[in-house]
Amino acid sequence: MARLTVTTAGLGLSALDLRLGVNRVGRDQHSDFPVNHPTVSTHHCELILSHEGVVLHDCGSTNGTFVNGQPIGEVWLEPGQQVRFGDVELLVETTDANISIPKIERPAPPPPPIVLEDGALLCPRHPEHRAAFKCTHCREVMCSGCVRMMRIQGGKPLFLCCICHNRCERIAGRKAKEKKGFLGFLQETVRLKFGGKTDE
């Protein structure tokens, strides 16, 4: 980060290590950098650090703010310059702002769905269940436990994707043959005996 070294001795302050934003300098103990010296005003100046560098702004101090011996109101600082607050002298070491961008860990995508022999898909998040829905946007497949259902008054339920929250459609599956009970078996037997056609 940007840093100014204090070259005036006896202040108990060796350097000003700036933080991003406004850094206030003055005799006020609530300043970001309190400087206990009679020639420094209560609110002497501000050092404003951004990604572009450091701006030095004088706050109407009594004894003035100087860069390389010249009085300033507001100026961009450069490394190697001499800065003076009243009679307190400093050296600009660096004006760099190290802005780190945090690394965002994205969750790993779920594994591709397993395809069964009959063509049905298993839910990637719940492999013990068959996928019953498919997102119309991201094409993700999911089981009934994954999909989010929204009830619309007076209309059909709306199924939403658990990934992108867009609309889902039911996966069209093959209808299973209905199992015939004893009564159905008996009716089929009677039809065969008397030459009737079955509905198969």
Side-chain angles (χ1 to χ4, degrees):
M1 279 294 190
R3 178 184 176 94
L4 283 76
T5 303
V6 179
T7 56
T8 300
L11 296 177
L13 186 66
S14 60
L16 276 58
D17 292 307
L18 305 184
R19 297 181 295 272
L20 284 171
V22 178
N23 297 263
R24 295 173 178 84
V25 179
R27 238 179 29 252
D28 188 346
Q29 291 303 308
H30 296 292
S31 300
D32 297 300
F33 297 102
V35 179
N36 188 18
H37 194 277
T39 63
V40 175
S41 297
T42 305
H43 304 289
H44 196 98
C45 64
E46 294 175 345
L47 292 155
I48 306 161
L49 175 62
S50 70
H51 68 281
E52 296 179 350
V54 179
V55 171
L56 174 58
H57 171 73
D58 183 79
C59 297
S61 62
T62 302
N63 296 306
T65 301
F66 302 82
V67 174
N68 290 342
Q70 299 298 316
I72 61 96
E74 187 170 277
V75 69
W76 286 94
L77 293 181
E78 298 291 340
Q81 289 179 326
Q82 299 287 336
V83 176
R84 182 158 56 86
F85 308 146
D87 290 339
V88 175
E89 295 182 348
L90 306 94
L91 173 67
V92 182
E93 282 191 22
T94 176
T95 58
D96 295 335
N98 299 325
I99 302 172
S100 59
I101 300 173
K103 186 179 179 181
I104 300 173
E105 295 289 342
R106 294 187 177 181
I114 298 171
V115 182
L116 300 178
E117 289 182 2
D118 62 356
L121 302 174
L122 292 182
C123 175
R125 283 158 296 279
H126 304 99
E128 67 276 13
H129 297 295
R130 293 191 175 208
F133 294 89
K134 186 173 186 178
C135 178
T136 58
H137 180 72
C138 70
R139 314 307 294 173
E140 180 71 13
V141 296
M142 61 207 76
C143 65
S144 300
C146 291
V147 75
R148 304 287 181 260
M149 186 176 72
M150 181 182 292
R151 295 185 181 276
I152 302 174
Q153 190 174 2
K156 294 180 179 179
L158 184 65
F159 300 100
L160 302 177
C161 175
C162 62
I163 305 296
C164 68
H165 311 294
N166 282 283
R167 189 172 64 86
C168 289
E169 294 177 339
R170 286 189 181 274
I171 296 174
R174 294 185 300 180
K175 290 184 179 179
K177 248 186 182 178
E178 289 186 10
K179 291 185 178 179
K180 295 185 183 292
F182 176 75
L183 184 59
F185 177 76
L186 186 61
Q187 288 174 342
E188 184 178 337
T189 305
V190 171
R191 285 196 197 96
L192 288 172
K193 186 173 181 180
F194 293 98
K197 291 183 179 179
T198 64
D199 57 357
E200 290 279 315

